[in-house]
Amino acid sequence: MTTASTQRHAPRRRLAVVLPALLALLLTFATATAQSATPTELVVALTAIGNTLDPAVANFANTATAMGHVYDRIIYIDENFEFAPAVAASWEFVDATTFKLTVGDGFVFHNGAPLTVQDVVFSIERLRDVPRLASVMNNVASTEATGESEVTIKLVEPNNSTIRALMANSHVLNEAYSKTPGVDYANKPIGTGPYVVSNFVPGDRLELTAWADYPFTAPAIPRIVFRTIPEDANRYIAAETGEAQFAAISFHDLARAESNPRLNVIQQKTTNTAFISMNTQKAPFDNANVRLAMAYATDKEGLAVVQGGSTVIYSMTPPMFSTYYASPNLPTFDLEKARQLLEAEGYGPSNPLKFDMWTYGGNTSVAETYQALLSAIGVEMSIKNFEFGVFLEGMARGEYQMLSGSWNNITGDPMSALENYWSGSFGSQNISFFENARVDELYELAKGTLDNSVLIDAAREVQEIAAAQMPIIPTFSTLAMFAFDARLVGVETYPSSLYSFRHARFE
Amino acid sequence: MTSYVLKRLTHIIPVLIATTLLVFALLSLSPSDPAQLILGVGAKPEELAQMREQLGLNDPLLVRYARYMGGVLTGDFGTSYSTKRPVLEMIGVRLPNTLVLAFGSLALILIVAIPLGVALAVRQNTLFDNVMRVLTLLTAAMPSFWLGLMLILLFSVKLGWLPSSGLDNVRAAIMPLVCLAVAGWTVTSRLTRASMLDVVRQDYIRTARAKGLPQGVVMRKHALRNALLPVVTSVGLLVGQSVGGAVVIEILFGINGIGKMMVDAVRQQDVPTIMGGVLIAAVVIAVANLLTDLSYAVIDPRLESMYGEPAA
Amino acid sequence: MQERLGRNPWQTAWRRLSRNRTAVAGLFLLAVIVLACFSAPLWFDYQRDVVGVNIAQRLRIPVEGKPLGTDELGRNLLARILWGGRVSLTIGIGSVVLASLAATLIGTVAAYYGGRTDSLLMRALDVLLAIPAMLLMITFVTIMAPTQTNLMLAIGLSFVPGMARLVRAQVLSVKDLEYVAAVRAQGASTARVLVAHVLPNAIGPVIASFVMYIPGGIMTISGLGFIGLGIQPPTPEWGAMLASGRAYIRDAWHITTLPGAAIVLTIIALTLVGDGLRDAIDSRMSNR
């Protein structure tokens, strides 16, 4: 038994040396590449990259941002939500149902084919196959080439939203290429933008390379790599250690990023709107008093603190929109009042109000905070955490009771202030399935008008109705925050939460 | 040799079939409606009914299973409900990362734990043995994700030496592999130590010693070779543990692998993707077991019957 | 060997265990952890301390009256860790208890009847062994809600194959002992032979091995919690606490470090006790 332990042999010593040597080797290797000169590529750390590169299908800001380097749009929506020239050099509303645009010169697809008006027509008409845009496309009677470089869009009926919604999704694809049988045109895309896709790993990374034959001013950065790093803390660490030169970061790391001399920070005000929505077609929130009680129980300040980097909001419409209106009649945080309202509806200790709240994406801290607030007045709320896709589907089908979520308005459509409560937009903009005859009447009135004051008055009245009926509680708006290599300049960010490196460079 | 391979294969195939059938049957209990998940918002009842018919959801379980496996054998693993991409393509993109994690950590376990176990056996009951015993007790008690968080804090945040996410290069692989290997180090070094101690008590080692062979030769040529046999049998088990452990590690380090794919799929009720993930994991493990058996037979065919069961 | 003849083997085992200092230390640590976790309702109010949010006090350590500080929602971290311990220990121990019952039944039947029954049962268990426990859990969570009971059953199921093999091996070694054959010859029923004579002798050595499964159960449940598929909020769970604390790892070390430390301590305690038990029951092992 003890024979082995009393004697020493050569191999053991060698073994004792191997371990530390191995470790030392690893560490030397590890430190060797830590410092580098001016980057030749830009690594962008994102929360997620979708499984498709078709921006219209993906409906995802990160996809739209990345593909904004590969595709051009027909018309650009600028930082003030105004139309700006892109592939279209000019445009006009001929009348309430006719929109005409002129395609600019010199655009060429990555395969060498020059851009034609037919490609522009195709790029709009193809949106009919995107389920999410069905209601928009239903109002598009026709898209036709009406001249050598002219395209005319005819609407079924006047609606101020339609063209805006089209242009927000108006990436220009090559018709011939997209119709070639067997070609995965979505994920092997050909556009007219300054970058080509050199590698795409669905859900993980997207690599873009500057297109050598780009007919306009060539971009300064030869390679852009979009990488998925789901965790906030890791994404910031990537920026800090130089693994990434640009990262969307969370509020927790903001102060750290600001005090780091090698990083710059952008805080972009966005149209981000967080809310607690209640399904007005389903018990218990088919009762307006119960909904009001929920609004009184909402400590928006507290929720904004938990979220971080957020400001409390009093309207579902972003403040930069002409139709923005904050009703003075909105419920303010008052737990006692909430309790009384519930009691009047027959809910109390013996008959507690119980329901499920849906949320998504794993981080449930806002939902848990709300859960704790409600439990203080005897309300039993369970949190159901879904993957985003499932959440969206269930929301659109109205299968939920209450949900906590947020969205960004990318079209800048002032009509959205009404659409949020309009019965024609069930499951799309009106996720509370709120039905009100007066709101629908006001929507019809506003959608075709060319008189801005009619629109603004209608929006105000709708938002007053919403304040009294409370189908959806606006809670807070979160800034978009980015940390990036201090040598990187010229990044453009937009309130739609999109951004672009087309004019960026390293100094 | 060929007949041995065939024998092992005939053992593995029924297990694989039963395993996939079990998982297939379990997943068919999923409360979600595939037709609804595929057609999405606003599908009409008759469309849903038609889609169910088209998908063959009304057929008996065994028929559906046979159809699924028929597809698998021709390279069709179905289509993901959520990404709408072929599951095989999704697996193809992600499997390399998971394999790097599973086999990289296996290599790391063996490289470190076998010499360590030998050293522990040779220095039984010395200070070194006792210190390592405490150390392995501690490391075995650490959840891999907690160890990973602490490593990120030290090597990424404080020292800035290693990337905190991805699997892009060797540097990025270090922390995930170490996290996965730690549990295996403990188990395998203990196993090696115990097995070494067993072997040195055997008669033929005593004989070798009595013949006056130098200790080093005895340990290397006779003891180690035989002591490694139980370790080799445990390799299949280690691969299984690494494949399972990779799930958490992929989430922690944001690595695009099979595990992360499956966790995403659970939240999406994406049954074909989960099924494909389990199937591929079962195949990887079965192949690893097969290779283990074969290498075992190569090392010493005579011992096959002696060490039928892995040491507990 | 001599001491075994004179006494009840359990007394012997207990005597050996109580002489093993590391095992006693482990037992003491385990007792403290179990007592602290399960007495938590005496010191803390679930509404106020465990799920009650206090945003003004978030991410602090130490806070008066809250020695382990507060988490990202200002909740009392000590209260949450103790409550989380109830969940982990209940699932960890519960799954092992359930699995050992099932495994004892299967293993005994397989060994005692042998032949086709045996090979059929063992092949069936091979099927479960072919899938890593974590992937089996993922399959289960897809089809059912991750409640405490469901998780306990699912984790328990993943333990059955390994445990049943141990039981089977033990029963095989006991069933042909002379005195068992003698009892059988006296015309005792199969059930009686199994329950009164075979099992008591077979089960001792495997009990220690069963205890060694508890740490695995706790690891699995916290791993599931960490990837977001475990016990759902507001019920605190160690793995989930670690996951939600990740975002604050650099500002509030305590909310990731302390739940992790709780896991480590619990598993060390269980391992020491398990090792001690094994050494005490199986004298062959004790001098290793």
Side-chain angles (χ1 to χ4, degrees), chain A residues 13-29, chain B residues 111-112:
Chain A
R13 279 209 200 111
R14 224 175 292 149
L15 289 167
V17 176
V18 165
L19 269 179
L22 200 74
L23 200 70
L25 191 76
L26 284 178
L27 292 181
T28 324
F29 190 54
Chain B
I111 290 171
V112 174

Side-chain angles (χ1 to χ4, degrees), chain A residues 1 231 233-234 236-237 240 252-253 256 299 302-303 305-306 364-365 368-369 371-372 375 383 385, chain C residues 47 51-53 55 58 72-73 75 80 228 232-234 243-244 246-251 287-288:
Chain A
M1 166 85 52
E231 207 56 45
N234 288 15
Y236 174 68
I237 292 169
E240 201 181 55
H252 316 303
D253 296 307
R256 227 185 319 272
D299 176 12
L303 299 183
V305 169
V306 169
T364 54
S365 49
E368 278 184 68
T369 309
Q371 185 180 47
S375 79
I383 299 170
N385 191 0
Chain C
Q47 267 315 325
V51 298
V53 168
I55 289 153
R58 56 203 290 267
E72 72 277 12
L73 298 182
R75 297 173 293 202
R80 286 180 65 77
Q232 298 298 305
S244 61
R246 276 182 79 178
Y248 311 91
I249 184 164
R250 301 172 72 175
D251 303 306
N287 49 13
R288 280 262 168 104

Side-chain angles (χ1 to χ4, degrees), chain A residues 178-197:
Chain A
S178 305
K179 287 183 170 169
T180 311
V183 163
D184 186 4
Y185 70 91
N187 294 329
K188 296 197 169 34
I190 282 184
T192 54
Y195 286 90
V196 294
V197 172

Side-chain angles (χ1 to χ4, degrees), chain B residues 25-97:
Chain B
L26 282 174
L27 288 175
S28 71
L29 301 173
S30 159
S32 61
D33 178 358
Q36 186 86 68
L37 285 168
I38 290 168
L39 292 175
V41 191
K44 296 178 186 73
E46 56 270 24
E47 286 171 349
L48 289 175
Q50 197 195 342
M51 179 55 89
R52 275 187 212 112
E53 191 59 41
Q54 195 186 323
L55 291 171
L57 293 176
N58 302 327
D59 296 336
L61 178 73
L62 280 175
V63 174
R64 279 182 285 142
Y65 174 74
R67 195 167 41 222
Y68 175 79
M69 288 311 282
V72 166
L73 292 177
T74 57
D76 175 14
F77 282 57
T79 304
S80 160
Y81 295 157
S82 60
T83 68
K84 323 280 186 216
R85 312 287 308 170
V87 172
L88 187 62
E89 177 195 299
M90 292 170 63
I91 290 174
V93 167
R94 292 162 176 84
L95 187 60
N97 282 340

Side-chain angles (χ1 to χ4, degrees), chain A residues 249-325:
Chain A
I249 61 164
S250 81
F251 177 72
H252 316 303
D253 296 307
L254 183 64
R256 227 185 319 272
E258 281 176 333
S259 63
N260 186 331
R262 290 190 293 118
L263 293 177
N264 276 349
V265 171
I266 294 178
Q267 291 188 66
Q268 170 70 50
K269 229 183 163 72
T270 68
T271 55
N272 177 271
T273 306
F275 47 76
I276 292 167
S277 173
M278 288 160 282
N279 188 340
T280 59
Q281 308 271 345
K282 248 183 148 171
F285 299 116
D286 49 354
N287 178 337
N289 283 335
V290 177
R291 298 198 297 267
L292 280 169
M294 294 300 107
Y296 279 112
T298 307
D299 176 12
K300 295 182 183 183
E301 305 276 353
L303 299 183
V305 169
V306 169
Q307 176 69 31
S310 305
T311 45
V312 169
I313 53 171
Y314 302 97
S315 168
M316 288 300 293
T317 307
M320 51 278 249
F321 289 16
S322 60
T323 45
Y324 170 79
Y325 172 72

Side-chain angles (χ1 to χ4, degrees), chain A residues 103-366:
Chain A
V103 176
D105 291 329
F107 291 93
V108 179
F109 285 102
H110 298 151
N111 64 359
L115 172 90
T116 67
V117 281
Q118 279 311 323
D119 293 317
V120 175
V121 170
F122 168 76
S123 300
I124 292 174
E125 282 298 316
R126 80 176 190 103
L127 299 178
R128 288 192 197 278
D129 297 332
V130 180
R132 169 176 77 82
L133 295 171
S135 65
V136 174
M137 292 308 292
N138 282 343
N139 196 35
V140 177
S142 66
T143 314
E144 275 165 23
T146 47
E148 191 133 318
S149 58
E150 190 186 83
V151 173
T152 303
I153 303 171
K154 286 249 178 226
L155 302 184
V156 176
E157 56 170 19
N159 187 326
N160 294 321
S161 302
T162 308
I163 297 295
R164 211 169 243 287
L166 286 183
M167 292 311 146
N169 292 289
S170 67
H171 298 89
V172 181
L173 277 65
N174 181 301
E175 179 177 20
Y177 178 70
S178 305
K179 287 183 170 169
T180 311
V183 163
D184 186 4
Y185 70 91
N187 294 329
K188 296 197 169 34
I190 282 184
T192 54
Y195 286 90
V196 294
V197 172
S198 45
N199 185 25
F200 172 49
V201 183
D204 191 40
R205 64 157 59 217
L206 171 65
E207 297 172 16
L208 305 181
T209 312
W211 177 35
D213 300 328
Y214 187 55
F216 306 105
T217 314
I221 297 172
R223 233 168 87 84
I224 309 178
V225 178
F226 294 90
R227 258 188 69 189
T228 296
I229 304 184
E231 207 56 45
D232 288 346
N234 288 15
R235 222 165 32 251
Y236 174 68
I237 292 169
E240 201 181 55
T241 57
E243 285 168 65
Q245 284 75 44
F246 189 94
I249 61 164
S250 81
F251 177 72
H252 316 303
D253 296 307
L254 183 64
R256 227 185 319 272
E258 281 176 333
S259 63
N260 186 331
R262 290 190 293 118
L263 293 177
N264 276 349
V265 171
I266 294 178
Q267 291 188 66
Q268 170 70 50
K269 229 183 163 72
T270 68
T271 55
N272 177 271
T273 306
F275 47 76
I276 292 167
S277 173
M278 288 160 282
N279 188 340
T280 59
Q281 308 271 345
K282 248 183 148 171
F285 299 116
D286 49 354
N287 178 337
N289 283 335
V290 177
R291 298 198 297 267
L292 280 169
M294 294 300 107
Y296 279 112
T298 307
D299 176 12
K300 295 182 183 183
E301 305 276 353
L303 299 183
V305 169
V306 169
Q307 176 69 31
S310 305
T311 45
V312 169
I313 53 171
Y314 302 97
S315 168
M316 288 300 293
T317 307
M320 51 278 249
F321 289 16
S322 60
T323 45
Y324 170 79
Y325 172 72
S327 164
N329 302 318
L330 272 178
T332 49
F333 181 47
D334 184 346
L335 274 183
E336 184 49 30
K337 190 144 187 184
R339 202 190 52 77
Q340 284 167 8
L341 272 168
L342 288 179
E343 204 171 62
E345 298 301 321
Y347 295 106
S350 58
N351 176 31
L353 175 62
K354 287 185 192 176
F355 58 87
D356 289 342
M357 176 201 250
W358 288 19
T359 181
Y360 58 86
N363 184 358
T364 54
S365 49
V366 168

